[in-house]
Every structure is written in C-alpha cells, then in structure tokens.
C-alpha cells in the first residue's frame, strides 16, 4: 500500500484497496464504526457519481421498499416540502438523479460534472434517507387511496399495474418465486396491485426504522470527487444516529418449485430457469457471462434456434441475470409448450459443443463491453454503481470483474470452448435447481375496491419548497462542450468526417439519406427487423464480435433548422470496436456485404411474430407511442418516425409479411441503401486523422457503385390501436433557428415542474413529462401508467394557467433546459453530433441557440406560453390531444 494513501477518513477506515487499470484508478473499501460501508472508485473522470443505498429485502407483495423509496423523497427534516425531490432537481446541474428499488436493495443515485452540486446532493439524499417525514398524505398520494367512486388510486398502484402489463415483468417476478421460495425473492419488491392496499403508512414507518440505519448503509462514490469531503459529510450525518443492524446478506437457496404458472391477459410463454451455484470463482463468473452471450447474444444463437424449433420466438426473460444473489440463467419460448419438451430441447442445445467462432465472437463482445468506459448518453459511473452495489448487497466481492483483468485470463485459456462446455455441464446441465415458469392467457383479476367504510383519501397540495439554494449564476455553471476538431475528406468518392478522440475504441458510421414518404420508408421496418437475423447479419455478428466490435443498422430522422416539417430520413450502419482490430472489422464487413443474403429464411413468419409481439406490449409502451402520435398530428414530419417506431410499424410489418414479393423487394432495398453514391461517413478514433479514412476502404470497396429498380408500394391499412394508460398533448412551436426557440425549451422545463404535482395528485399517473423538441418545433406533454388520462388531458390543456410567476424559478427552468440540450456525451458522440450539424445546417445556429438559452427572460417565456392559449373563443387551440382510458 502506498504511503500516500490515507487509511482513516472521518472514522471511515480503509479495509482494502485494489487497482482498476482499465479506469486508471482504484477501488477502495472503507468501513465506519457504525457499520456503514463506503465503496470508492477513484477514476480521472470529471463526471462523478454518488449513491446512498440500503439492503431492503421485501417482506410481502405489499411493496414496502418501493413505497418507502417514493416517500423518502417527499420531504425530510431539512427539506420539508412534499415536492422536495422535484424542487431539488430544479436547482442542481446534474446529469442524473433518481431512486431505484431492485429485488432486495434500494439506491438513491446522482451524477454530474459540477462537484459542488453533486456534494450538496449527497447531503440532500442523506437527510431524505435518515430523516424522512413519511406523512400520511404523501402515502395516500403515492401508495394507494380510496377514490370517491369506491375504486383505488395512487401513483405506485398505477405504476405497478403498468409494469406488470409487460410479460417480461410477470415472468421476472414468477421466476424469483419459483427458484427462491421462502426467500425475499419470492415477493415482488415493487408491490402488486392486489397486495398494495394491505399496506399502511405505519407499516412503512416501521420498515424504515428497521432498514434505513447506519449499519445497513452503503455509500458509493465514483470519479475524481474529493474523498475526504465525502467522508466528512457522511460521518457528520451518522454521528447522532442509532447504529441499528445490517440486514443479513441473502443465503444460498438450493432448491425451488418444479413448476409455477402465472397469467397474463395477452401473452402465453414458457420459461425454464436455473439458479446458478453460489461461490463461483471470478473466472467462472466471467466465463458464464461469455457463455450467456454465446448462447443468446444474437438472433441466430443456439438458444434462439431452439426456441424457433419449438414454435416461437425466444421468451421474455431469457438471458443471464444478476439481480439476485444467485445468478439466474433462463431460456424459453414465447408459446405455451410442454415443460418436458422445453427441457429436452434446451439440454440438447447446451450439450452441443460451441464452435470456436461462436465462442470467440462472444468473448470479443464481452471484451468490448469491459473496455467501453465512455458515456453514451448515460453516466458511466451510474451504470458502474449498480454492478458494484449489487455485488456488495448480495454479500459478494464488489470488485467489478470486467475491470479486474479476468477478461484477459479468459483470452489466455488454451481451450476456452472446453472451459465453457464444462461450465455449462456443472452449472446448468447437471444442476437440479431449476423451475419451469409458465405464462398462460387469462384475464387479470378485477381491480380491488376500497374496503367498506373507507373515506376517500385526501391529497393536499404540497407546502412551498422554500427559497432556492445559493448558487453561482447559470452562465458560470454551464460549460459548453469543446467539440473535437473535424477533418473533412473523401474515401473512394464517399465524403468522410473524421476526428481524433482519446481512447481504445474506434467508432464509425455510414449513412444514407432517403426521400420521404415513399416505398422505401414503408419497407424499412421489415428490413431493419430481418437484417440481423439474415445470413448476412449472422455472419457479421460472429466475425465482427470475434474482433471485439459490434454493428447495428438503424433509421433516424433530422428536421430542418428553418422548417421543422421538412424531415430527412437517414439509415445508418454503426460500428464500435477496439481500435487495434478495426482494419479486420471493416474487411469482414466489406466481404459479407458484397456476398451474403440480407433476408433470412422464414422472413414472413418472423415479421408476423414481431408485429404480434409489439401489439402485446402496447399497454407498457403507451406513453412513447402516444407522444409520437400526438407529435405527428401537429407536424407531418413525424410520419417517418411513426412508420419506424410507432403503431404504424405494426401494420407495415403485417403488410410486408403478406406481400408476394417480400424477399425480392428486401434484397432490392438492401442493394439500393448501400450503393456508394450518396453515402457519407463519420469516423472517430485515437489515431492520426489522416489515417482514419483508410480504414474505411475495405468496407467501401465491397459496396456496389449503383443500383436500379423500383420497390412496390405496401398500401398497408392504418389500424391506429388504442393506447391505454397514457395522455399526450402536442403544440407546434417555432423552427430551431427562430429567436424564440430557446424560450419554448425553457417553457417546457417550467411546465414539467408546474404540471407534475397537479397530475399526480388528481389522477395518479406514475410519471409526467413535458418537453420541447426544439429541432422538431414541437412541445409535448405526456403521462405514463395513467389511470385517469382524461383528467390529465384537462390539466395539459390548461397548461399555461398552471404556469406560476417564475421569478427565481426562471433560473431553475433555464438550468433544466440546459441539461436537456447538453446531455452527457462521450467525445466520440460529440464529434458525431458536430458532423450531423455540419451536414444538416444546424452548425451556424447551435451556438446561438445555446447562448440564447442562458439568457431567456420571463417575458420570453410568457410570450411562448401565450401561444399555448387561444387569444379568443373562436380561435382553435393549436394543439392535438390523445387520451385513452
């Protein structure tokens, strides 16, 4: 141990310190005299993360840990307002702030690049956790309450009704109950709609007193935050608290139920799950991760093929899961099949030797995930916190195995396929700890009514949140990104943007713009779904992953900065991988693209299955689908996005499946998409920019120069299915280049804060989002898991009337808008965004928009808000609403 390492920080004594070479840092484990634990990942990353967490095993299906998670953030000793969490978010420059209830632990996590805001948020979270108010009124709003008609309402009741509408969630809960009976995993930590009304606020208070104690606390810290300051703040909170007792780590379970059947109103599935043995070595744990990728990691992997042979797609919940103390490997079929037949098919698949190429492909993908420590729209430290805390709360070593060097040990094994085959035999094939979990189609039970004599629960308005914290001016806190320098060149006639970005990874994309609307757009959903499952997709996955890279093809849209109704639809091939292996990756792509079939056998069946699956998921996807539908009603430019991602895609998939020229048309579309003419490339890597383009030549040389032929139209009917449990409202705003674009963005953030309380109080929606999309010229409001969408729409329609006199809150609204338009991105993603801005004409306007955002005034916001209200009764409201109960 280095002499410079401090072993005692405010009562936190260092127990173990280990290097993390991938991060250029270390993992330190500290213990306080109270029993509290601190896990500190030191890394040279300006984006820090902090988490306050407790082991919280559920004791029934009533949702004790989940309800407590909500109430903890609804007022505490120092921050007594019921909207304390929302108020705190308004005033901090954070990239992430959220709470999570897992199977048996709860975390309150924050991340950001402003150390003062992040450290103050630690104070807020500690006070919320140890000194919550736990008011009866907050409980009635969040958990459950009687409504005047005798039915039950409540935010969490609505949330869990929506969550359990997804077949995967029901299978997850049933798998825990089947494999781990008589343990905490037999209960739903989030609560079930049937059991939540059995919970009282006193039950929650007693649960808090038992589990939210210093001895049960684990704090996680990541990045370059000052550790002495973290320990000082935590220790000052712990000083006067009773120590309590730590919840015991989960004990290994050696046997479960042979079979368990649960119901779902629309989905029949059969899943076989194994609880893996306890006490595996780090090498074995890593090997199981690679084994899972080899068996399940792409559409033609062995367990996918086994499911198709049994008559359906792979079941929801298939995969290797580490959210329980004993990992679970599960696989099944999205159909009601005989459990014995499923077991026989899976065992036959597991006994078949894995090929060297399949194993190396899985190891390559796993290696890439271990080395990819960049932020891709989500703080890396937050994702790492779940790995570290999950292991710690389950009684395991918190060292992230992907960062420990074990991956290299797997590469060095003389017989990796043999090692994985032995793992499969010992941990799965010969493992009797398994259960068959069935999902059978049956109506959900009728909703519970309020107990006889129950008075309607009262939900009062929250007390004022108090004055805002003293902060530096927004201009001094917000740092505009320093974009990497772009170099523009040409490779085999294809324009190429390139940038040098530090790191071990290379990322590149090839993009084609398409005219919209047209036959290409109609066929695109079918093409995007089938390509990864085709001979081309299968070969690429094996070869490219073996080289430590991933590939994908996706469609996206870009609005015009001067006219948001003018939209460009783009199809992009994205590749990310280890820089040293990239020449081999592009060579493999070029060979496969030129010679292999982009259409799989049984294409029509695969499309029909996909359309049916999407319709099954409608209840759980109502909010994003509703946003698209509402946006389309005020901006026709959203038609392309609706065709690819909305309910229109269901009809297009069915129409493509029924078309007599399906295979020929998709091959023609593939050829037309990837001719060299009109492509453009973006490439970023830690290499001299002059050499980046040369890596593209092996791929581009495999693409044809031209293609000809027209595609037949699909003429698919538009079914426009109901979207239960969501309310969405859209208003047109102004083009991105308009002087008021920034004001609408700030207005969206201010309305998010203003509408959150009224909607949750009167309707019980789980979440409300209001957001301006400045590039698209649209302002959207949407609720999720909403039992009263009609009432929510009334609130949305009166949005301008709910907007308070901003005053000091203007700065908070501008801060929230700044977070929205300046999300945390890796340097590679910043370079790609700069290339897109240059191509589509946003470059000259982006800096002006950001400067304007930081100086929006209350008059600017009022002017934007006035456009949301008709000036006189005869004038129509420029908004379109969607609401289906």
């Amino acid at each position: 141990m280095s002499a410079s390492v401090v072993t005692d920080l405010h009562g936190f004594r260092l127990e173990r310190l280990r290097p993390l070479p991938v991060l250029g840092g270390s993992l330190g484990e500290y213990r306080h005299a109270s029993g509290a634990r601190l896990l500190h990942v030191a890394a040279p990353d300006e984006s820090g993360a902090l988490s306050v967490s407790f082991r919280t095993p559920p004791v029934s299906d009533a949702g004790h840990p989940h309800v407590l998670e909500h109430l903890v953030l609804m007022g505490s000793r120092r921050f007594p307002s019921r909207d304390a969490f929302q108020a705190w978010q308004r005033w901090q420059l954070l990239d992430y702030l959220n709470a999570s209830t897992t199977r048996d632990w709860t975390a309150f996590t924050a991340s950001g690049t402003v150390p003062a805001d992040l450290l103050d948020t630690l104070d807020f979270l500690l006070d919320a956790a140890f000194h919550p108010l736990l008011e009866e009124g907050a409980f009635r709003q969040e958990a459950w309450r009687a409504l005047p008609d005798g039915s039950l309402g409540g935010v969490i009741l609505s949330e869990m009704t929506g969550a359990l509408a997804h077949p995967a969630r029901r299978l997850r809960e049933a798998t825990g109950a089947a494999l781990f009976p008589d343990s905490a995993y037999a209960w739903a930590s989030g609560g079930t709609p049937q059991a939540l009304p059995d919970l009282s606020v006193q039950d929650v208070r007693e649960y808090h007193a038992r589990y939210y104690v210093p001895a049960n606390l684990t704090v996680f810290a990541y990045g370059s935050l000052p550790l002495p300051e973290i320990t000082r703040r935590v220790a000052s909170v712990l000083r006067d608290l009773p120590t309590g007792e730590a919840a015991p780590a989960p004990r290994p379970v050696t046997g479960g139920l042979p079979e368990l059947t649960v119901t779902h109103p629309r989905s029949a599935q059969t899943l076989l799950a194994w609880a893996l043995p306890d006490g595996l070595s780090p090498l074995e744990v890593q090997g199981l991760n690679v084994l899972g990728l080899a068996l399940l990691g792409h559409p033609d992997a062995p367990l996918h093929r086994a499911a198709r042979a049994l008559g359906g797609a792979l079941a929801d919940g298939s995969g290797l899961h580490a959210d329980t103390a004993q990992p679970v490997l599960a696989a099944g079929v999205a159909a009601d099949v005989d459990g014995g037949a499923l077991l026989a098919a899976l065992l036959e698949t597991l006994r078949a030797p894995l090929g060297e190429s399949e194993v190396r492909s899985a190891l390559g993908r796993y290696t890439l995930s271990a080395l990819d420590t960049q932020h891709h729209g989500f703080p890396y430290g937050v994702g790492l916190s779940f790995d570290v805390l999950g292991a710690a709360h389950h009684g395991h070593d918190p060292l992230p195995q992907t960062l420990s060097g074990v991956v290299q040990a797997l590469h060095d094994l003389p017989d990796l396929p043999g090692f994985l085959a032995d793992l499969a035999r010992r941990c799965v094939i010969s493992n009797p700890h398994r259960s068959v979990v069935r999902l059978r189609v049956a109506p959900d039970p009728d909703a519970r009514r309020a107990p006889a004599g129950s008075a309607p629960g009262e939900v009062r308005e929250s007390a004022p949140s108090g004055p805002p914290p003293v902060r530096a001016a927004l201009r001094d806190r917000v740092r505009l990104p320093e974009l990497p320098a772009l170099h523009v060149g040409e490779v085999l006639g294809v324009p190429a943007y390139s940038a040098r970005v530090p790191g071990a990874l290379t990322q590149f994309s090839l993009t084609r713009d398409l005219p919209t609307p047209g036959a290409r757009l109609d066929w695109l959903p079918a093409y995007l779904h089938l390509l990864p499952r085709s001979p081309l997709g299968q070969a690429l996955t094996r070869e490219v992953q073996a080289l430590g890279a991933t590939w994908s093809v996706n469609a996206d849209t870009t609005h015009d900065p001067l006219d948001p109704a003018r939209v460009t639809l783009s199809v992009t091939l994205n590749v990310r991988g280890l820089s040293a292996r990239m020449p081999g990756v592009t060579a493999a792509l070029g060979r496969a693209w030129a010679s292999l079939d982009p259409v799989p056998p049984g294409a029509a069946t695969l499309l029909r299955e996909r359309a049916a699956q999407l319709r099954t998921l409608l209840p759980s996807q109502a909010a994003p689908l509703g946003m698209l539908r509402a946006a389309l009603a005020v901006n026709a430019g959203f038609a392309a996005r609706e065709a690819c991602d909305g309910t229109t895609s269901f009809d297009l998939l069915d129409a493509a499946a029924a078309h007599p020229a399906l295979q020929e048309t998709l091959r023609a579309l593939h050829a037309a998409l990837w001719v060299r003419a009109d492509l453009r490339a973006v490439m970023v890597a830690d290499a001299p920019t002059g050499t980046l383009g040369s890596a593209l030549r092996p791929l581009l040389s495999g693409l044809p120069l031209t293609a000809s032929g027209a595609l037949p139209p699909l003429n698919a009917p538009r079914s426009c299915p109901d979207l239960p449990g969501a309310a969405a409202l859209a208003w047109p705003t102004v083009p991105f280049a308009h002087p008021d674009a920034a004001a609408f963005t700030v207005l969206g953030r201010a309305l998010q804060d203003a509408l959150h309380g009224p909607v949750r109080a009167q309707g019980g929606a789980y979440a409300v989002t209001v957001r301006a999309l400045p590039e698209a010229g649209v302002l959207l409001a949407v609720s999720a898991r909403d039992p009263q969408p009609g009432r929510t729409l009334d609130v949305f329609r009166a949005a301008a009337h709910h907007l308070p006199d901003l005053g000091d809150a203007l700065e908070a609204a501008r801060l929230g808008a700044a977070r929205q338009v300046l999300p945390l991105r890796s340097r590679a993603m910043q370079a790609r965004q700069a290339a897109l801005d240059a191509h589509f004409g946003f470059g000259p306007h982006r800096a002006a928009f950001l400067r304007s955002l930081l100086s929006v005034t209350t008059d600017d916001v009022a002017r934007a808000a006035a456009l949301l209200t008709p000036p006189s009764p005869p004038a129509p409201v420029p908004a379109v609403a969607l609401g289906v109960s």
Side-chain angles (χ1 to χ4, degrees):
M1 183 179 296
S2 170
S4 63
V5 175
V6 179
T7 59
D8 192 324
L9 290 164
H10 304 101
F12 280 91
R13 295 190 62 83
L14 180 64
E15 294 184 328
R16 185 162 48 169
L17 182 67
R18 288 175 285 179
L20 295 175
V22 172
L23 297 181
S26 60
L27 170 64
E29 301 175 55
Y30 296 80
R31 182 77 67 171
H32 190 263
S34 64
R37 195 174 185 186
L38 170 65
L39 302 172
H40 177 235
V41 177
D45 191 339
E46 67 174 7
S47 175
L50 290 168
S51 186
V52 174
S53 68
F54 303 88
R55 190 177 293 147
T56 52
V59 295
S60 74
D61 281 335
H64 295 69
H66 188 192
V67 174
L68 180 56
E69 173 222 304
H70 278 236
L71 298 192
V72 155
L73 296 174
M74 297 186 69
S76 64
R77 185 171 63 186
R78 288 181 57 196
F79 309 96
S81 171
R82 189 181 296 176
D83 72 342
F85 182 62
Q86 286 73 36
W88 190 262
Q89 284 183 304
R90 289 196 286 270
W91 289 105
Q92 311 307 314
L93 192 59
L94 301 172
D95 295 307
Y96 181 92
L97 178 61
N98 209 347
S100 307
T101 300
T102 74
R103 302 295 288 266
D104 55 353
W105 55 278
T106 300
F108 304 89
T109 307
S111 178
T113 56
V114 181
D117 286 14
L118 199 51
L119 290 168
D120 287 350
T121 299
L122 175 62
D123 292 342
F124 169 77
L125 294 177
L126 288 168
D127 193 68
F130 287 115
H131 304 291
L133 301 182
L134 303 182
E135 294 177 327
E136 174 83 23
F139 175 85
R140 291 299 169 201
Q141 174 178 307
E142 296 299 300
W144 70 273
R145 66 182 182 273
L147 300 178
D149 63 359
S151 63
L152 297 178
V155 172
I156 295 174
L157 194 72
S158 302
E159 176 188 352
M160 295 312 300
T161 299
L164 291 168
H166 199 301
R169 184 61 179 261
R170 295 206 189 183
L171 284 171
R172 188 193 86 155
E173 305 293 0
T175 299
L179 286 175
F180 309 109
D182 302 319
S183 79
Y185 302 127
W187 307 112
S189 61
T192 66
Q194 293 72 36
L196 266 165
D198 296 329
L199 190 68
S200 71
V201 69
Q202 185 58 33
D203 295 331
V204 177
R205 291 167 180 161
E206 292 172 359
Y207 190 89
H208 175 268
R210 167 68 182 87
Y211 292 105
Y212 280 50
V213 294
N216 201 38
L217 168 70
T218 300
V219 176
F220 170 86
Y222 165 82
S224 53
L225 295 166
L227 183 58
E229 181 62 13
I230 294 171
T231 56
R232 184 191 68 78
R233 293 180 185 231
V234 177
S236 67
V237 173
L238 299 180
R239 185 179 302 122
D240 300 322
L241 290 171
T243 298
E245 295 181 4
R251 290 181 296 180
V253 178
T254 57
L257 305 177
E259 187 168 320
L260 180 64
T261 299
V262 294
T263 62
H264 187 278
R266 292 168 302 279
S267 181
Q269 304 195 42
T270 311
L271 190 72
L272 185 61
W274 283 268
L276 302 183
D278 190 53
L280 297 169
S281 71
L283 190 65
E284 289 171 323
V285 172
Q286 298 294 75
L288 284 170
N289 280 285
V290 174
L291 178 65
L293 288 173
L295 294 171
L296 291 148
H298 56 88
D300 197 49
L303 290 179
H304 282 267
R305 295 197 299 266
R308 288 198 295 270
L310 288 167
L314 201 66
D316 289 318
S318 298
L320 183 64
H321 308 288
D323 57 348
T324 49
Q326 291 168 253
V328 171
L329 178 67
V333 59
D336 190 353
V337 302
D338 178 73
L342 176 61
L343 175 62
L346 295 185
L347 289 178
E348 180 182 1
T349 301
L350 290 165
R351 290 189 182 106
L354 288 167
E356 182 74 23
S357 63
E358 291 175 311
V359 170
R360 292 297 163 187
S361 172
L363 180 58
R365 179 174 172 183
Y366 192 62
T367 303
L368 175 61
S369 70
L371 295 176
D372 190 356
T373 61
Q374 298 293 308
H375 312 287
H376 297 284
F378 186 82
Y380 173 78
V382 174
L384 183 63
S385 75
F386 281 87
D387 292 338
V388 171
L389 290 173
H393 285 303
H394 291 152
H396 304 322
D397 186 346
L399 179 71
Q401 297 300 330
T402 52
L403 303 178
S404 67
V406 176
V407 172
Q408 186 57 50
L410 288 172
H411 280 277
D412 295 339
L413 287 174
D415 182 15
L416 181 58
F419 176 73
L420 297 184
D422 180 63
L423 268 182
R425 178 187 58 77
R426 290 187 291 111
C427 296
V428 187
I429 297 170
S430 301
N431 183 359
H433 190 175
R434 61 176 182 249
S435 300
V436 174
V437 179
R438 295 183 177 281
L439 206 58
R440 284 196 166 144
V441 177
D444 281 340
D446 292 337
R448 279 183 65 164
R449 308 289 293 176
S454 297
E458 182 183 4
V459 178
R460 300 189 307 274
E461 287 295 320
S462 173
S465 58
V470 177
R471 285 285 184 268
L474 183 60
R475 286 180 174 275
D476 297 328
R477 299 168 66 200
V478 175
R479 291 183 300 168
L480 302 184
E482 297 179 5
L483 300 178
L486 283 176
H487 298 260
V488 182
E490 189 176 283
V491 182
L492 296 181
V494 174
Y497 299 89
S498 60
R500 187 172 186 178
V501 175
L505 305 182
T506 290
Q507 300 184 49
F508 75 83
S509 60
L510 281 181
T511 300
R512 168 176 307 286
D513 298 334
L514 300 178
T516 58
R520 289 186 183 183
L521 172 59
D522 288 351
W523 284 97
L524 202 54
Y527 173 78
L528 294 175
H529 180 66
L530 294 176
L531 182 64
R533 295 156 177 81
S534 68
L536 169 60
Q538 296 164 17
L540 280 183
T541 297
R542 287 192 298 270
E543 292 189 46
V544 169
Q545 287 186 3
L547 292 167
T550 61
W551 72 281
S552 64
V553 173
N554 67 280
D556 206 350
T557 54
T558 307
H559 297 261
D560 189 286
L562 302 177
D563 180 4
R566 289 181 55 192
V567 170
T568 301
L569 173 66
S570 304
V571 179
T572 300
L573 166 66
N574 294 292
V575 179
R576 186 173 82 252
L578 304 175
S579 296
R581 314 290 292 280
M582 195 51 65
V585 171
T586 55
L589 286 165
R591 290 192 303 270
W593 226 261
S595 60
L596 297 178
D597 193 343
V599 183
T605 299
L606 291 173
L607 293 179
R608 283 190 289 267
E609 289 176 349
R610 178 59 175 166
Q613 179 190 38
L614 291 173
R615 290 188 173 94
T616 297
L617 298 178
L618 270 174
S620 59
Q621 298 299 310
L625 293 171
M627 286 179 69
L628 267 179
R629 198 180 287 179
L632 175 60
V634 300
N635 184 340
F638 277 87
R641 190 76 275 144
E642 162 68 19
C644 292
D645 295 334
T647 55
T648 301
S649 67
F650 310 172
D651 303 312
L652 292 173
L653 292 172
D654 279 334
H659 200 283
L662 169 63
Q663 297 194 12
E664 295 86 345
T665 301
L666 291 178
R667 292 187 183 105
L669 175 59
H670 178 76
L673 289 176
W674 303 110
V675 296
R676 232 183 281 166
D678 299 325
L679 286 177
R680 66 179 181 278
V682 179
M683 194 165 195
V684 292
D686 186 10
T689 53
T691 67
L692 295 180
S694 63
L696 290 175
R697 286 194 178 89
L699 169 57
L700 295 176
S701 62
L703 301 181
L705 290 173
T706 59
S708 60
L711 305 181
L714 269 181
N715 300 320
R718 301 298 194 261
S719 58
C720 201
D722 288 345
L723 300 175
L729 189 70
W731 297 266
T733 60
V734 294
F736 185 80
H738 192 280
D740 285 337
F744 275 102
T745 305
V746 174
L747 171 64
R749 182 63 229 189
L751 287 174
Q752 164 85 24
D753 298 333
L755 300 184
H756 178 86
V759 169
R760 284 171 77 97
Q762 61 78 34
Y766 167 61
V768 176
T769 300
V770 184
R771 174 163 292 186
L773 306 180
E775 289 91 345
V778 168
L779 178 66
L780 282 168
V782 64
S783 64
R785 298 174 186 171
D786 191 344
Q788 300 287 344
R791 295 182 186 178
T792 300
L793 279 174
D794 289 340
V795 176
F796 287 169
R797 290 188 182 103
H801 298 294
H802 287 281
L803 188 67
D805 182 11
L806 289 179
D808 291 336
L810 174 64
E811 191 79 346
R814 292 193 302 198
L815 187 148
R819 285 200 306 264
Q820 174 191 331
V821 301
L822 292 171
L824 184 65
R825 286 194 176 111
S826 66
R827 294 276 290 169
M829 291 302 294
Q830 289 175 356
R832 186 172 187 275
Q833 183 63 54
L836 290 172
D837 282 353
H839 179 76
F840 288 108
F842 279 90
H845 310 290
R846 187 74 68 184
F849 175 87
L850 294 174
R851 286 194 298 270
S852 177
L853 188 73
L854 300 180
S855 57
V856 166
T857 68
T858 54
D859 288 342
D860 297 331
V861 177
R863 184 171 62 254
L867 298 178
L868 305 183
T869 305
S872 59
V877 178
V880 173
L882 164 79
V884 183
S885 60

